[in-house]
Amino acid sequence: MAGASDNGDRPPGGGPSDGLPEFPEEWGVIVIPDDLSELADEVAAVRAELHTAAPLNRWQRLADRPTVRRLRRLGGLLTHTPALIIILAILVTVASLFASAWPGPPRQPATQRTSGATESRSDQLPALDLIDSDGQSVSILGRLPAVVMLTEGCDCAALVRDTIAAVRSDIAILTVSKVRASASAAATGQGLLPTARTPRADGKTVTALQDPTDTLRRQLGLGAPDGTAAVVLVDRLGKIVRVHPRTASVETFRPDLSRL
């Protein structure tokens, strides 16, 4: 074995030989043997340190194979997929809740005026009990379908007669006024018309009712009497098909009778 490398071949002045940097001083003296077999002990010591771990068993060797490692990575990806789906579902649910709670543009009203004297409504006829000519309480919802005619201050005898002629036999006609039914009939000529207690030969029914507090007119949002009748057409389910606030002729609402 050659002697220690004491850097005896340095160039004059102590500079590095062959242009290479010197070894750090903390490494001490480095000896490079001519026969590398002399380093066998050092090599065996290093190999012993590298193999201090316990040998792999059969299952560990199987798990360490490349194919098994790829399968493990795929399984990890599949394990995270349900979590991603749940997170997306939660985000969609929260977004839909915000969308439903967010105020949208104002809706158009369901009730629209179709002409200057006629308006369509989709609400129900109020559940009121009025008074007939005999002083008995009468539920207006118990006589449907019906043409309800508010005749306060109206000379409506001709209109009532024309309405009787125009309606089917299953459609009731209810005339409503604030004053007593008998007085109203005498004042407007309706005394010549039969009441509900006087059956007509054609099977049609006309009932004169009293609304002392004018509740029906108020709940329907109708204006004060002006010499014409207010006509409300109601189907058999109590739904208001059409309201004519001012009517003097049956021709105004004749097209709507077929909808009752």
Side-chain angles (χ1 to χ4, degrees), residues 167-212:
V167 300
R168 303 189 308 268
S169 59
D170 62 322
I171 299 176
I173 300 175
L174 309 178
T175 62
V176 181
S177 177
K178 287 180 62 175
V179 299
R180 290 186 61 84
S182 57
S184 173
T188 62
Q190 295 180 20
L192 301 177
L193 299 174
T195 66
R197 298 183 180 274
T198 306
R200 292 172 52 91
D202 55 11
K204 299 180 181 180
T205 302
V206 182
T207 305
L209 300 174
Q210 179 190 8
D211 185 8

CSV table of all heavy atoms in Angstrom, one decimal, residues 167-212:
chain,number,residue,atom,x,y,z
A,167,VAL,N,-129.4,32.1,-18.6
A,167,VAL,CA,-128.7,31.1,-17.8
A,167,VAL,C,-129.3,29.7,-18.0
A,167,VAL,O,-130.4,29.5,-18.4
A,167,VAL,CB,-128.6,31.4,-16.3
A,167,VAL,CG1,-128.0,32.8,-16.1
A,167,VAL,CG2,-130.0,31.4,-15.7
A,168,ARG,N,-128.4,28.7,-17.7
A,168,ARG,CA,-128.9,27.3,-17.7
A,168,ARG,C,-129.8,27.1,-16.4
A,168,ARG,O,-129.7,27.9,-15.4
A,168,ARG,CB,-127.8,26.3,-17.7
A,168,ARG,CG,-126.8,26.5,-18.8
A,168,ARG,CD,-125.8,25.3,-18.8
A,168,ARG,NE,-125.1,25.1,-17.6
A,168,ARG,CZ,-124.0,25.7,-17.2
A,168,ARG,NH1,-123.4,26.5,-18.1
A,168,ARG,NH2,-123.4,25.5,-16.0
A,169,SER,N,-130.5,26.0,-16.4
A,169,SER,CA,-131.4,25.7,-15.2
A,169,SER,C,-130.6,25.4,-14.0
A,169,SER,O,-131.1,25.5,-12.9
A,169,SER,CB,-132.3,24.6,-15.6
A,169,SER,OG,-131.6,23.4,-15.9
A,170,ASP,N,-129.3,25.0,-14.1
A,170,ASP,CA,-128.5,24.6,-12.9
A,170,ASP,C,-127.8,25.8,-12.3
A,170,ASP,O,-127.1,25.7,-11.3
A,170,ASP,CB,-127.5,23.5,-13.2
A,170,ASP,CG,-126.5,23.9,-14.3
A,170,ASP,OD1,-126.9,24.7,-15.2
A,170,ASP,OD2,-125.3,23.6,-14.2
A,171,ILE,N,-127.9,27.0,-12.9
A,171,ILE,CA,-127.2,28.2,-12.5
A,171,ILE,C,-128.2,29.0,-11.7
A,171,ILE,O,-129.3,29.4,-12.2
A,171,ILE,CB,-126.7,29.0,-13.6
A,171,ILE,CG1,-125.6,28.2,-14.4
A,171,ILE,CG2,-126.0,30.3,-13.1
A,171,ILE,CD1,-125.1,28.9,-15.6
A,172,ALA,N,-127.9,29.3,-10.4
A,172,ALA,CA,-128.8,30.1,-9.6
A,172,ALA,C,-128.5,31.6,-9.8
A,172,ALA,O,-127.4,32.0,-10.2
A,172,ALA,CB,-128.5,29.8,-8.1
A,173,ILE,N,-129.5,32.4,-9.6
A,173,ILE,CA,-129.4,33.9,-9.7
A,173,ILE,C,-129.6,34.4,-8.3
A,173,ILE,O,-130.7,34.2,-7.7
A,173,ILE,CB,-130.4,34.5,-10.7
A,173,ILE,CG1,-130.1,33.9,-12.1
A,173,ILE,CG2,-130.3,36.0,-10.7
A,173,ILE,CD1,-131.1,34.3,-13.1
A,174,LEU,N,-128.6,35.2,-7.8
A,174,LEU,CA,-128.8,35.8,-6.4
A,174,LEU,C,-128.7,37.3,-6.6
A,174,LEU,O,-127.7,37.8,-7.1
A,174,LEU,CB,-127.6,35.3,-5.5
A,174,LEU,CG,-127.4,33.8,-5.4
A,174,LEU,CD1,-126.2,33.5,-4.5
A,174,LEU,CD2,-128.6,33.1,-4.9
A,175,THR,N,-129.8,38.0,-6.2
A,175,THR,CA,-129.8,39.4,-6.2
A,175,THR,C,-129.5,39.9,-4.8
A,175,THR,O,-130.2,39.4,-3.8
A,175,THR,CB,-131.1,40.0,-6.7
A,175,THR,OG1,-132.2,39.6,-5.9
A,175,THR,CG2,-131.4,39.5,-8.1
A,176,VAL,N,-128.6,40.8,-4.6
A,176,VAL,CA,-128.1,41.2,-3.3
A,176,VAL,C,-128.3,42.7,-3.2
A,176,VAL,O,-127.9,43.5,-4.0
A,176,VAL,CB,-126.7,40.8,-3.0
A,176,VAL,CG1,-126.2,41.2,-1.6
A,176,VAL,CG2,-126.5,39.3,-3.2
A,177,SER,N,-128.9,43.2,-2.0
A,177,SER,CA,-129.1,44.6,-1.8
A,177,SER,C,-128.9,44.9,-0.3
A,177,SER,O,-129.1,43.9,0.5
A,177,SER,CB,-130.4,45.1,-2.2
A,177,SER,OG,-130.6,46.5,-1.9
A,178,LYS,N,-128.6,46.1,0.1
A,178,LYS,CA,-128.5,46.4,1.6
A,178,LYS,C,-129.8,46.4,2.3
A,178,LYS,O,-129.9,46.1,3.4
A,178,LYS,CB,-127.8,47.8,1.7
A,178,LYS,CG,-126.3,47.8,1.4
A,178,LYS,CD,-125.7,49.1,1.6
A,178,LYS,CE,-125.8,49.6,3.0
A,178,LYS,NZ,-125.1,50.9,3.3
A,179,VAL,N,-130.9,46.9,1.6
A,179,VAL,CA,-132.2,47.0,2.2
A,179,VAL,C,-132.8,45.6,2.2
A,179,VAL,O,-132.4,44.6,1.6
A,179,VAL,CB,-133.1,48.0,1.4
A,179,VAL,CG1,-132.4,49.4,1.5
A,179,VAL,CG2,-133.2,47.6,0.0
A,180,ARG,N,-134.0,45.5,2.9
A,180,ARG,CA,-134.7,44.2,2.9
A,180,ARG,C,-135.1,43.8,1.5
A,180,ARG,O,-135.4,44.6,0.7
A,180,ARG,CB,-135.9,44.3,3.9
A,180,ARG,CG,-135.5,44.4,5.3
A,180,ARG,CD,-136.8,44.4,6.2
A,180,ARG,NE,-137.5,43.1,6.0
A,180,ARG,CZ,-137.2,42.0,6.7
A,180,ARG,NH1,-136.2,42.0,7.6
A,180,ARG,NH2,-137.8,40.9,6.4
A,181,ALA,N,-135.0,42.5,1.3
A,181,ALA,CA,-135.3,41.9,0.0
A,181,ALA,C,-136.7,42.3,-0.5
A,181,ALA,O,-136.8,42.7,-1.7
A,181,ALA,CB,-135.2,40.4,0.0
A,182,SER,N,-137.7,42.3,0.3
A,182,SER,CA,-139.0,42.6,-0.1
A,182,SER,C,-139.1,44.1,-0.5
A,182,SER,O,-139.8,44.4,-1.5
A,182,SER,CB,-140.0,42.3,1.0
A,182,SER,OG,-139.7,43.1,2.2
A,183,ALA,N,-138.5,45.0,0.2
A,183,ALA,CA,-138.5,46.4,-0.1
A,183,ALA,C,-137.8,46.7,-1.4
A,183,ALA,O,-138.2,47.5,-2.2
A,183,ALA,CB,-138.0,47.2,1.0
A,184,SER,N,-136.6,46.0,-1.5
A,184,SER,CA,-135.8,46.2,-2.8
A,184,SER,C,-136.6,45.7,-4.0
A,184,SER,O,-136.6,46.3,-5.0
A,184,SER,CB,-134.5,45.4,-2.6
A,184,SER,OG,-133.8,45.4,-3.8
A,185,ALA,N,-137.3,44.6,-3.8
A,185,ALA,CA,-138.1,44.1,-5.0
A,185,ALA,C,-139.2,45.0,-5.4
A,185,ALA,O,-139.5,45.2,-6.5
A,185,ALA,CB,-138.7,42.7,-4.6
A,186,ALA,N,-139.8,45.6,-4.4
A,186,ALA,CA,-140.9,46.5,-4.7
A,186,ALA,C,-140.4,47.8,-5.3
A,186,ALA,O,-141.0,48.4,-6.2
A,186,ALA,CB,-141.7,46.9,-3.4
A,187,ALA,N,-139.2,48.2,-4.9
A,187,ALA,CA,-138.6,49.5,-5.4
A,187,ALA,C,-138.1,49.3,-6.8
A,187,ALA,O,-138.1,50.3,-7.6
A,187,ALA,CB,-137.5,50.0,-4.5
A,188,THR,N,-137.7,48.1,-7.2
A,188,THR,CA,-137.1,47.9,-8.5
A,188,THR,C,-137.9,47.1,-9.5
A,188,THR,O,-137.5,46.8,-10.6
A,188,THR,CB,-135.7,47.2,-8.4
A,188,THR,OG1,-136.0,45.9,-7.8
A,188,THR,CG2,-134.8,48.0,-7.5
A,189,GLY,N,-139.1,46.8,-9.0
A,189,GLY,CA,-140.0,46.0,-9.9
A,189,GLY,C,-139.7,44.5,-9.8
A,189,GLY,O,-140.2,43.7,-10.5
A,190,GLN,N,-138.8,44.1,-8.8
A,190,GLN,CA,-138.5,42.7,-8.7
A,190,GLN,C,-139.6,41.9,-8.0
A,190,GLN,O,-139.5,40.7,-7.9
A,190,GLN,CB,-137.1,42.5,-8.0
A,190,GLN,CG,-136.0,43.1,-8.7
A,190,GLN,CD,-134.7,42.9,-7.9
A,190,GLN,OE1,-134.6,42.1,-7.1
A,190,GLN,NE2,-133.7,43.7,-8.3
A,191,GLY,N,-140.6,42.6,-7.5
A,191,GLY,CA,-141.6,41.9,-6.8
A,191,GLY,C,-142.4,41.0,-7.8
A,191,GLY,O,-143.1,40.1,-7.4
A,192,LEU,N,-142.3,41.2,-9.1
A,192,LEU,CA,-142.9,40.4,-10.0
A,192,LEU,C,-142.1,39.1,-10.3
A,192,LEU,O,-142.5,38.2,-11.0
A,192,LEU,CB,-143.1,41.2,-11.4
A,192,LEU,CG,-144.0,42.4,-11.2
A,192,LEU,CD1,-144.0,43.2,-12.6
A,192,LEU,CD2,-145.4,42.1,-10.7
A,193,LEU,N,-140.8,39.1,-9.8
A,193,LEU,CA,-140.0,37.9,-10.0
A,193,LEU,C,-140.1,36.9,-8.9
A,193,LEU,O,-140.3,37.2,-7.7
A,193,LEU,CB,-138.5,38.4,-10.1
A,193,LEU,CG,-138.2,39.3,-11.2
A,193,LEU,CD1,-136.8,39.8,-11.1
A,193,LEU,CD2,-138.5,38.7,-12.6
A,194,PRO,N,-140.1,35.6,-9.2
A,194,PRO,CA,-140.2,34.6,-8.2
A,194,PRO,C,-139.0,34.5,-7.3
A,194,PRO,O,-137.9,34.8,-7.7
A,194,PRO,CB,-140.4,33.3,-9.0
A,194,PRO,CG,-139.7,33.5,-10.3
A,194,PRO,CD,-139.9,35.0,-10.6
A,195,THR,N,-139.1,34.1,-6.1
A,195,THR,CA,-138.0,33.9,-5.2
A,195,THR,C,-137.6,32.4,-5.2
A,195,THR,O,-138.2,31.6,-5.8
A,195,THR,CB,-138.3,34.4,-3.7
A,195,THR,OG1,-139.3,33.5,-3.2
A,195,THR,CG2,-138.8,35.8,-3.7
A,196,ALA,N,-136.6,32.1,-4.3
A,196,ALA,CA,-136.2,30.7,-4.3
A,196,ALA,C,-137.2,29.8,-3.7
A,196,ALA,O,-137.2,28.6,-4.0
A,196,ALA,CB,-134.9,30.6,-3.4
A,197,ARG,N,-138.2,30.4,-3.0
A,197,ARG,CA,-139.2,29.5,-2.4
A,197,ARG,C,-140.4,29.4,-3.3
A,197,ARG,O,-141.4,28.8,-2.9
A,197,ARG,CB,-139.7,30.1,-1.0
A,197,ARG,CG,-138.5,30.2,0.0
A,197,ARG,CD,-139.0,30.7,1.3
A,197,ARG,NE,-137.9,30.7,2.3
A,197,ARG,CZ,-137.5,29.7,3.0
A,197,ARG,NH1,-138.1,28.5,2.9
A,197,ARG,NH2,-136.5,29.8,3.8
A,198,THR,N,-140.3,30.0,-4.5
A,198,THR,CA,-141.4,29.9,-5.5
A,198,THR,C,-140.8,29.3,-6.8
A,198,THR,O,-140.3,30.0,-7.6
A,198,THR,CB,-142.0,31.2,-5.8
A,198,THR,OG1,-142.5,31.9,-4.6
A,198,THR,CG2,-143.2,31.1,-6.8
A,199,PRO,N,-140.8,27.9,-6.9
A,199,PRO,CA,-140.1,27.3,-8.0
A,199,PRO,C,-140.8,27.8,-9.3
A,199,PRO,O,-142.0,27.9,-9.5
A,199,PRO,CB,-140.4,25.8,-7.8
A,199,PRO,CG,-140.7,25.7,-6.3
A,199,PRO,CD,-141.4,27.0,-6.0
A,200,ARG,N,-139.9,28.0,-10.3
A,200,ARG,CA,-140.3,28.3,-11.7
A,200,ARG,C,-140.6,27.1,-12.5
A,200,ARG,O,-140.0,26.0,-12.2
A,200,ARG,CB,-139.3,29.2,-12.3
A,200,ARG,CG,-139.1,30.6,-11.7
A,200,ARG,CD,-137.9,31.3,-12.4
A,200,ARG,NE,-137.9,31.2,-13.8
A,200,ARG,CZ,-138.5,32.2,-14.6
A,200,ARG,NH1,-139.0,33.3,-14.0
A,200,ARG,NH2,-138.5,32.1,-15.9
A,201,ALA,N,-141.4,27.2,-13.5
A,201,ALA,CA,-141.7,26.1,-14.3
A,201,ALA,C,-140.5,25.6,-15.1
A,201,ALA,O,-140.4,24.4,-15.4
A,201,ALA,CB,-142.9,26.5,-15.3
A,202,ASP,N,-139.6,26.5,-15.4
A,202,ASP,CA,-138.4,26.1,-16.2
A,202,ASP,C,-137.3,25.6,-15.3
A,202,ASP,O,-136.2,25.3,-15.7
A,202,ASP,CB,-137.9,27.3,-17.0
A,202,ASP,CG,-137.6,28.5,-16.2
A,202,ASP,OD1,-137.6,28.4,-14.9
A,202,ASP,OD2,-137.3,29.6,-16.8
A,203,GLY,N,-137.5,25.5,-13.9
A,203,GLY,CA,-136.5,24.9,-13.0
A,203,GLY,C,-135.5,25.9,-12.6
A,203,GLY,O,-134.6,25.5,-11.8
A,204,LYS,N,-135.5,27.2,-13.1
A,204,LYS,CA,-134.5,28.1,-12.7
A,204,LYS,C,-134.8,28.8,-11.4
A,204,LYS,O,-136.0,28.9,-11.0
A,204,LYS,CB,-134.3,29.2,-13.8
A,204,LYS,CG,-133.9,28.6,-15.1
A,204,LYS,CD,-133.8,29.6,-16.2
A,204,LYS,CE,-133.4,29.0,-17.5
A,204,LYS,NZ,-133.3,30.0,-18.6
A,205,THR,N,-133.8,29.2,-10.6
A,205,THR,CA,-133.9,29.7,-9.3
A,205,THR,C,-133.4,31.2,-9.2
A,205,THR,O,-132.3,31.5,-9.6
A,205,THR,CB,-133.2,28.9,-8.3
A,205,THR,OG1,-133.6,27.5,-8.4
A,205,THR,CG2,-133.4,29.4,-6.9
A,206,VAL,N,-134.3,32.1,-8.6
A,206,VAL,CA,-133.9,33.4,-8.3
A,206,VAL,C,-134.1,33.7,-6.8
A,206,VAL,O,-135.2,33.4,-6.3
A,206,VAL,CB,-134.7,34.4,-9.2
A,206,VAL,CG1,-134.2,35.9,-8.9
A,206,VAL,CG2,-134.6,34.1,-10.6
A,207,THR,N,-133.1,34.2,-6.1
A,207,THR,CA,-133.2,34.4,-4.7
A,207,THR,C,-132.8,35.9,-4.4
A,207,THR,O,-131.7,36.3,-4.8
A,207,THR,CB,-132.2,33.5,-3.9
A,207,THR,OG1,-132.5,32.2,-4.3
A,207,THR,CG2,-132.4,33.7,-2.4
A,208,ALA,N,-133.7,36.6,-3.8
A,208,ALA,CA,-133.4,38.0,-3.4
A,208,ALA,C,-132.8,38.0,-2.0
A,208,ALA,O,-133.5,37.5,-1.1
A,208,ALA,CB,-134.7,38.8,-3.5
A,209,LEU,N,-131.6,38.5,-1.8
A,209,LEU,CA,-130.9,38.5,-0.5
A,209,LEU,C,-130.6,39.9,0.0
A,209,LEU,O,-130.5,40.8,-0.8
A,209,LEU,CB,-129.6,37.7,-0.6
A,209,LEU,CG,-129.8,36.2,-1.1
A,209,LEU,CD1,-128.4,35.6,-1.3
A,209,LEU,CD2,-130.5,35.4,0.0
A,210,GLN,N,-130.5,40.0,1.3
A,210,GLN,CA,-130.2,41.3,2.0
A,210,GLN,C,-128.8,41.2,2.6
A,210,GLN,O,-128.5,40.2,3.3
A,210,GLN,CB,-131.2,41.6,3.1
A,210,GLN,CG,-130.9,42.9,3.8
A,210,GLN,CD,-131.8,43.1,5.0
A,210,GLN,OE1,-132.5,42.2,5.4
A,210,GLN,NE2,-131.8,44.3,5.6
A,211,ASP,N,-128.0,42.2,2.4
A,211,ASP,CA,-126.7,42.4,2.9
A,211,ASP,C,-126.6,43.7,3.7
A,211,ASP,O,-126.1,44.7,3.1
A,211,ASP,CB,-125.6,42.3,1.8
A,211,ASP,CG,-124.2,42.3,2.4
A,211,ASP,OD1,-124.0,42.2,3.6
A,211,ASP,OD2,-123.2,42.4,1.6
A,212,PRO,N,-127.1,43.8,4.9
A,212,PRO,CA,-127.3,45.1,5.6
A,212,PRO,C,-125.9,45.8,5.8
A,212,PRO,O,-125.9,47.1,5.7
A,212,PRO,CB,-127.8,44.7,7.0
A,212,PRO,CG,-128.4,43.3,6.7
A,212,PRO,CD,-127.6,42.7,5.7
